[in-house]
Amino acid sequence: MLYYALLFLVISIIAGVLGFRGVESGAAKISKLFFFVFLALALLVVLAAILGVSLFA
């Protein structure tokens, strides 16, 4: 997830530099969405590790 968030962030920056405002806006929204999904999943895994729940068994 973090890979795709960074990928869309780079796409957004490049589109912004080139003047494609619609593409920039869309890529930024997708990047933000992927980042927050990554953040939620990371917090879930950390919380499960603290509680001693095995997610991969």
Side-chain angles (χ1 to χ4, degrees), residues 10-21 24:
V10 170
I11 290 171
S12 175
I13 291 171
I14 292 172
V17 168
L18 295 177
F20 297 107
R21 299 293 177 201
E24 175 194 8

Side-chain angles (χ1 to χ4, degrees), residues 2-3 7-8 11 16 23 26 30 32-33 37 39-40 46-48 52 57:
L2 189 57
Y3 171 78
L7 179 70
F8 278 102
I11 290 171
V23 175
I30 293 171
K32 196 180 301 185
L33 174 73
V37 169
L39 196 61
V46 168
L47 183 64

Side-chain angles (χ1 to χ4, degrees), residues 36-53:
F36 284 120
V37 169
F38 162 76
L39 196 61
L41 290 175
L43 288 175
L44 181 69
V45 169
V46 168
L47 183 64
I50 290 172
L51 295 175
V53 177

